[in-house]
């Protein structure tokens, strides 16, 4: 078993009106590695006035977690299959929409991996099988209800 920690730290700034919703959503997120990331609410949710440019929002972090977990799982599987991956680049896209009950959620994340191999190239069937297995062993994919789709891009 492993334990992971993230500390979110936000405070009201002078002149902001919390009761009226007029306050910055900017905050910091410090991970147990010591890395600190500037965080914010999505401008899609609170508008540009209350979000912070250059900071990452929770929805982006979720898409990034799904994206990198799949990548790391795929790299492990490709190595075990005797393949040499020279580059893996994925421009993942997450979609947030309303559920039937009116609440918002990240309903779908589509991965678009573009993978470059040195030496032997996997067959399309091998690639599909590796993506399927990567999805199956990815800790984050196993932890969310979000639909995750892989649409590999030709290298």
């Amino acid at each position: 078993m492993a334990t992971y920690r993230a500390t979110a730290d936000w405070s009201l700034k002078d002149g902001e009106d919390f009761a009226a919703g007029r306050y910055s959503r900017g905050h910091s997120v410090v991970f147990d590695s010591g890395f600190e990331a500037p965080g914010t609410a999505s401008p899609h949710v609170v508008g540009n006035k209350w979000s912070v440019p250059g900071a990452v929002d929770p929805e982006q972090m979720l898409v990034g977690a799904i994206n990198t977990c799949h990548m790391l799982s795929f790299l492990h599987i490709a190595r075990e299959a005797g393949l040499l991956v020279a580059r893996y680049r994925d421009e993942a896209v997450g979609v947030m929409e309303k559920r039937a009950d009116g609440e918002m959620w990240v309903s779908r994340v589509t991965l678009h991996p573009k993978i470059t191999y040195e030496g032997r190239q996997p067959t399309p069937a091998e690639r599909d099988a590796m993506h399927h297995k990567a999805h199956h062993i990815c800790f984050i994919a196993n932890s969310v209800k979000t639909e995750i789709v892989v649409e590999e891009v030709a290298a």
Side-chain angles (χ1 to χ4, degrees), residues 22-46:
R22 295 185 185 114
Y23 60 92
S24 173
R25 282 15 177 233
H27 58 278
S28 67
V29 182
V30 180
F31 298 91
D32 48 357
S33 66
F35 177 75
E36 182 173 348
T40 189
S42 171
H44 299 291
V45 176
V46 298

Side-chain angles (χ1 to χ4, degrees), residues 2-138:
T3 302
Y4 302 92
R5 299 184 190 284
T7 302
D9 191 4
W10 170 91
S11 59
L12 190 64
K13 294 165 188 57
D14 288 341
E16 295 180 334
D17 186 348
F18 186 79
R22 295 185 185 114
Y23 60 92
S24 173
R25 282 15 177 233
H27 58 278
S28 67
V29 182
V30 180
F31 298 91
D32 48 357
S33 66
F35 177 75
E36 182 173 348
T40 189
S42 171
H44 299 291
V45 176
V46 298
N48 290 330
K49 184 173 184 177
W50 305 115
S51 66
V52 177
V56 63
D57 65 56
E59 296 80 16
Q60 291 171 320
M61 286 192 269
L62 176 63
V63 172
I66 291 169
N67 187 353
T68 57
C69 185
H70 185 88
M71 176 192 70
L72 294 168
S73 299
F74 185 92
L75 293 173
H76 172 73
I77 292 162
R79 182 190 58 78
E80 284 187 332
L83 296 164
L84 196 161
V85 176
R87 184 167 189 204
Y88 183 113
R89 178 179 170 83
D90 188 343
E91 296 182 20
V93 177
V95 175
M96 189 167 69
E97 60 187 354
K98 283 187 180 180
R99 297 185 310 214
D101 65 3
E103 295 299 327
M104 300 297 288
W105 73 306
V106 178
S107 61
R108 179 183 181 114
V109 172
T110 303
L111 306 176
H112 300 101
K114 183 174 182 180
I115 306 165
T116 305
Y117 301 87
E118 290 184 7
R120 183 174 84 77
Q121 305 293 303
T123 66
E126 286 176 308
R127 282 196 322 266
D128 289 346
M130 288 189 297
H131 283 298
H132 179 77
K133 186 172 182 183
H135 179 75
H136 182 75
I137 68 170
C138 170

